[in-house]
Amino acid sequence: MEDITDNTAWYPNYLSGLKRGLDNNKVDYVFTSVVPQGVNDPVLLTRYTLFELVMNSANPPKNIFIQEHDVWNPFTVDMNPESLSFYHHPDLKGILFTHPSMIEWGQRCLKPNSGVTITAGGFPYNHDFINERIKNIKPANEREKLIVFPGRLNEFYQPYLSVRLGIELVERGYRVVIASPINPMDYYPVDIWREIGFEVGRYSQPDFYTLLSEATAAISMTIGGSLTLSLYEAHLLGAKAILPKGKVGYAPFTEMFTPRFDLLNPREALEILDNDVKIDIDTKWFSEQYYTETLLNLIEIKNRT
């Protein structure tokens, strides 16, 4: 099932990567935006926004699997506990998380002795899809002294933490951009940030990719599935991807990047930048094939039990 009303930036890439992965593995499938009634075939819900449709169905599918791109974490202010009630749906068989460290969080939301299987398959990143969008953008050999903070401007934690680090970067002579796919919320002191020397605001996807292709680094001061993808795209465009780590077993979900800075010691982010530390990325977690194999294995496991 797909949500044809969802405008999230990463969702088209996810759907295209999923379809290619299924095609490459010669899997028969149908995409639909309506709830299949009472079918025994496995049904994958590709967005949490579809949960309510299934919950309200008089005759829901009998073998439901859900893709979870992100999950609640202590930094998130936009979280409705009722949305997790779907984890208790009697026909739910499995959950496929993007990041391995999400698994423990998902298990906390299940009922005791639940028969739901949880695993992680990464993100089926369609590199052809993204290459088509950036084919006219050539990563610069000589990087500009530019730092990009990708993310959203509708959450309190990313901008303010970014601003604190950004002030020091401006003092070091960097051009600092806080970029977002949406307009800044009214309560942010954007004019003051601009007086400090930041560029702040909404960037179109092409302009955002151009920024990343010129930047020395992209830094995230927080976590989340969309931010992880933004930093991966920064890497593809030649910018150093600098992300935080947290306490073992807890958020953030950034474990495919090594090394990372300590969230409680953000000065480590500056050390990574100053020392030009090489960032290794476990690209398995951005593979169409790995994602598809994990999904198919999950379905096969549940069909046997």
Side-chain angles (χ1 to χ4, degrees):
M1 282 189 67
E2 62 179 323
D3 184 350
I4 59 176
T5 66
D6 193 296
N7 296 316
T8 308
W10 57 261
Y11 194 47
N13 189 302
Y14 168 80
L15 291 175
S16 63
L18 172 61
K19 291 174 182 177
R20 290 209 332 174
L22 294 172
D23 288 338
N24 291 339
N25 285 273
K26 297 180 171 54
V27 177
D28 292 329
Y29 64 89
V30 174
F31 272 77
T32 179
S33 59
V34 298
V35 180
Q37 295 298 300
V39 299
N40 288 314
D41 294 323
V43 174
L44 174 67
L45 308 186
T46 60
R47 284 295 272 151
Y48 75 94
T49 51
L50 300 167
F51 294 174
E52 186 174 356
L53 286 177
V54 177
M55 292 280 281
N56 294 334
S57 173
N59 189 20
K62 304 306 179 187
N63 288 284
I64 300 173
F65 298 83
I66 60 177
Q67 157 67 28
E68 283 281 33
H69 180 64
D70 211 340
V71 71
W72 181 84
N73 63 70
F75 298 87
T76 301
V77 295
D78 181 20
M79 189 273 178
N80 178 9
E82 291 298 318
S83 68
L84 297 178
S85 63
F86 194 81
Y87 282 40
H88 304 160
H89 194 285
D91 296 307
L92 179 62
K93 298 298 189 291
I95 303 172
L96 183 59
F97 281 114
T98 305
H99 297 52
S101 56
M102 292 181 179
I103 292 175
E104 181 178 339
W105 290 77
Q107 289 170 337
R108 298 177 188 179
C109 302
L110 298 177
K111 288 183 176 180
N113 303 314
S114 171
V116 175
T117 298
I118 298 181
T119 188
F123 188 94
Y125 197 88
N126 184 341
H127 290 76
D128 289 348
F129 185 88
I130 203 72
N131 288 341
E132 178 64 25
R133 300 182 71 172
I134 63 176
K135 63 183 179 181
N136 296 322
I137 302 174
K138 303 299 181 184
N141 292 325
E142 294 294 327
R143 312 298 292 190
E144 184 179 343
K145 200 170 182 182
L146 161 66
I147 303 297
V148 177
F149 289 92
R152 307 192 65 81
L153 287 173
N154 61 341
E155 297 162 341
F156 76 90
Y157 48 85
Q158 171 80 355
Y160 288 120
L161 290 171
S162 301
V163 165
R164 178 61 191 90
L165 188 61
I167 290 172
E168 187 152 350
L169 290 166
V170 167
E171 292 174 348
R172 294 176 177 215
Y174 282 93
R175 175 188 171 199
V176 173
V177 177
I178 300 179
S180 175
I182 66 170
N183 291 322
M185 302 301 282
D186 293 338
Y187 50 77
Y188 284 128
V190 172
D191 289 342
I192 295 176
W193 292 349
R194 288 176 176 150
E195 288 178 12
I196 292 172
F198 301 161
E199 298 170 42
V200 186
R202 178 177 182 171
Y203 285 76
S204 67
Q205 204 70 27
D207 288 343
F208 177 63
Y209 287 147
T210 299
L211 273 177
L212 294 179
S213 71
E214 298 169 346
T216 299
I219 302 177
S220 178
M221 297 301 293
T222 184
I223 63 175
S226 298
L227 284 167
T228 302
L229 287 175
S230 291
L231 272 289
Y232 179 62
E233 290 178 335
H235 163 76
L236 294 177
L237 286 164
K240 188 180 299 296
I242 303 177
L243 297 92
K245 63 183 178 183
K247 184 177 179 181
V248 174
Y250 291 84
F253 316 117
T254 55
E255 60 270 28
M256 53 280 296
F257 295 82
T258 306
R260 297 164 290 160
F261 67 89
D262 186 343
L263 197 60
L264 299 178
N265 184 14
R267 192 161 295 279
E268 287 185 1
L270 296 175
E271 294 173 1
I272 291 173
L273 181 65
D274 292 343
N275 298 324
D276 195 21
V277 176
K278 182 178 183 295
I279 306 295
D280 292 318
I281 301 178
D282 187 350
T283 56
K284 171 183 71 176
W285 300 106
F286 299 97
S287 163
E288 294 172 0
Q289 183 60 28
Y290 183 78
Y291 178 89
T292 307
E293 289 177 355
T294 305
L295 173 62
L296 296 178
N297 287 340
L298 174 62
I299 292 172
E300 182 180 356
I301 289 170
K302 299 311 293 183
N303 284 342
R304 292 200 305 261
T305 56

